[in-house]
Amino acid sequence: MESFLRKAEAISVIGVINDLFLKPLEHMEFARHFPKYEYQNLAILSYESVSCGVPLTISLGTCADYQGATYDSPIGTGIGQSAERLLNKLPDIKHLFNKHRINIAVNIDVSDAESADLVLRDKLSVPPQEFIRLTRLSQDSIRTEATRHGFSGNVRVSSILDKCQEANLDYSEKSSQLRRQFFEREARDIKCKRLIAGLIDERKSKGEYATIPSEEYELMAIAELAAYAVYGELVGPDALICSPHAKSAVMAYNLLKDDQDTISPTLYIGDSPKEKRSLFED
């Protein structure tokens, strides 16, 4: 009987990996940059889920409800495009895992971290405390929308700074540390250099740096990549990160990690032609 159960669990894990590799979900792409370790760590998560009967966690760090394309755009209290895209795609993601006997739980972490970022907070249209207040209201909007989509029971909504507090992590200090690492690595690592250049090109092409002086492009891109890297460290290998943000930036979740066992599996969620594009959207 025990041998049969182990075989059934293995079949579930292989099924998920096979589907992600051979039959990817529409507008989604798994393990773009560190495939060996992302597949390995997702296989471990899937096995733990099916063998222990616990949900596999999907994590999303979503941007605030920016009302325009730039950082100094007004901030709304809706769910924002990132969370909306995830909730729209969630039935497909849930089905992919459920058909292999794996249940999922979803963590949506609204980014209030710009208010604590020494570079990004000066670009916001509102003071830091007001930014935090507005993102708190966005969390309520996401909970309401998750309920409307029928996912209230397995969607947890929080914020990046709350997640940092739970991990006893100082966001300002950590993001500054990771910014320095990106600057240092850019000079010697072609992959990092291309990552930064790619994000700058993407932001410029969408008008998202329209109010940023050209001499600040590199600093802004690295500040954003450091935010991704902080979230990658917070999540680690314990969840699948879904990223509906800039496609060029997905690598940043894992690029600075020294321990391959801490690589976060990543699932990029692209947009459909009818979806509106806005800040942080690809």
Side-chain angles (χ1 to χ4, degrees), residues 177-214:
Q177 174 195 339
L178 294 175
R179 265 201 318 275
R180 289 192 296 271
Q181 289 185 38
F182 273 113
F183 273 115
E184 293 165 1
R185 190 157 179 166
E186 181 186 16
R188 56 182 170 81
D189 184 343
I190 187 64
K191 184 181 289 187
C192 183
K193 188 171 185 176
R194 287 174 177 168
L195 169 63
I196 295 166
L199 183 58
I200 291 172
D201 287 344
E202 186 171 346
R203 294 300 183 220
K204 285 171 56 182
S205 71
K206 296 175 182 176
E208 292 165 359
Y209 280 180
T211 58
I212 304 295
S214 58

Side-chain angles (χ1 to χ4, degrees), residues 4-16 42-57 97-104:
F4 171 79
L5 290 174
R6 284 200 300 268
K7 181 179 179 181
E9 292 158 358
I11 290 172
S12 293
V13 174
I14 293 169
V16 167
L42 183 65
I44 292 171
L45 288 175
S46 299
Y47 183 81
E48 289 175 348
S49 176
V50 74
S51 62
C52 300
V54 297
L56 184 150
T57 301
F97 286 99
N98 284 177
K99 71 179 181 179
H100 299 295
R101 302 189 304 118
I102 295 172
N103 292 319
I104 63 169

